[in-house]
Amino acid sequence: GAGVSQSPSNKVTEKGKDVELRCDPISGHTALYWYRQSLGQGLEFLIYFQGNSAPDKSGLPSDRFSAERTGGSVSTLTIQRTQQEDSAVYLCASSLATGGWGEQYFGPGTRLTVT
Amino acid sequence: SQQGEEDPQALSIQEGENATMNCSYKTSINNLQWYRQNSGRGLVHLILIRSNEREKHSGRLRVTLDTSKKSSSLLITASRAADTASYFCATEYTTSGTYKYIFGTGTRLKVLA
């Protein structure tokens, strides 16, 4: 079946511009996660959606970052007034887990480059 | 803060040899998971071991968990060139009734043909 998809696969933007990254989770997965990964580094948690509960935004690095999940499915991560340090691969994952995070299925990522 | 740290950071072995990588963490966990990341297939879940389990196997993978030492190891037996990838541990824990999840910094494994 279809896995997690993300778009765009690559995004180059100028410093100060806003960007939107999209994630389509696996159908039926109630949990959705956003991470970012800088070159050669591990994954940094950003935000976690679980069903209709309020999202866990504790990982968002600044108020320039926001995310929403419409209809319990597609999610959009928005970065306003991008900075060069925002350059990274942004990964989305989804899982069936309703208690705890469980096994996560990852998308291919969006590589964001801020010039 | 809770963090998974893998050791070694990089490992290079010959095809057919076994590869062992370790993960240490700081606080009590619900479970620990291992993931593999390579350029071809992205990040893929390998195995999950719960806090009340000590060892799990999946094919050529063997994972152990020692909660008293707050550490886990991933053993890949009879390695293949296709095992070349970065391997990450991720720990799930609960704080103030909220689930949290932390990825380690990864071990870069290179298997030489």
Side-chain angles (χ1 to χ4, degrees):
Chain A
V4 177
S5 61
Q6 293 184 245
S7 61
S9 55
N10 279 284
K11 176 72 176 178
V12 179
T13 190
E14 292 180 353
K15 177 181 173 182
K17 301 281 190 182
D18 298 351
V19 295
E20 285 189 352
L21 312 180
R22 177 187 168 104
C23 172
D24 279 274
I26 293 173
S27 178
H29 279 193
T30 58
L32 186 147
Y33 318 79
W34 283 99
Y35 298 87
R36 74 176 173 183
Q37 185 176 31
S38 300
L39 187 64
Q41 301 298 309
L43 274 68
E44 176 188 3
F45 163 71
L46 297 177
I47 190 169
Y48 161 49
F49 295 89
Q50 174 59 275
N52 296 320
S53 302
D56 178 352
K57 304 179 182 180
S58 60
L60 295 178
S62 77
D63 58 8
R64 296 187 295 104
F65 288 72
S66 63
E68 61 178 23
R69 188 179 184 192
T70 53
S73 180
V74 171
S75 177
T76 302
L77 177 69
T78 301
I79 308 173
Q80 296 178 309
R81 305 181 301 282
T82 53
Q83 304 294 312
Q84 288 186 330
E85 60 262 29
D86 299 334
S87 296
V89 176
Y90 289 80
L91 291 163
C92 174
S94 69
S95 77
L96 276 170
T98 55
W101 289 37
E103 176 181 344
Q104 298 178 44
Y105 295 80
F106 281 82
T110 293
R111 182 176 298 279
L112 175 66
T113 302
V114 182
T115 60
Chain B
S1 61
Q2 177 79 21
Q3 181 177 12
E5 295 185 356
E6 283 91 340
D7 158 53
Q9 291 187 339
L11 180 61
S12 185
I13 60 174
Q14 295 292 324
E15 200 166 34
E17 293 181 339
N18 296 342
T20 300
M21 52 205 88
N22 305 294
C23 169
S24 60
Y25 56 92
K26 295 182 180 178
T27 64
S28 295
I29 60 172
N30 302 326
N31 63 65
L32 184 146
Q33 303 181 37
W34 284 91
Y35 287 81
R36 178 181 63 215
Q37 184 178 40
N38 59 31
S39 57
R41 295 192 59 194
L43 201 69
V44 175
H45 180 269
L46 295 177
I47 198 163
L48 180 153
I49 187 165
R50 301 189 188 284
S51 60
N52 60 354
E53 297 176 311
R54 292 296 168 257
E55 187 171 313
K56 286 191 83 169
H57 297 254
S58 177
R60 294 183 295 111
L61 306 180
R62 172 179 169 249
V63 168
T64 61
L65 178 64
D66 187 334
T67 53
S68 67
K69 295 181 179 178
K70 294 185 171 59
S71 68
S72 173
S73 66
L74 171 66
L75 168 68
I76 304 173
T77 59
S79 63
R80 305 167 181 169
D83 295 328
T84 294
S86 290
Y87 291 81
F88 296 90
C89 68
T91 52
E92 180 195 292
Y93 63 102
T94 306
T95 179
S96 302
T98 302
Y99 293 104
K100 298 291 184 183
Y101 203 68
I102 299 284
F103 274 84
T105 51
T107 291
R108 294 185 306 281
L109 173 66
K110 187 169 186 178
V111 180
L112 304 170

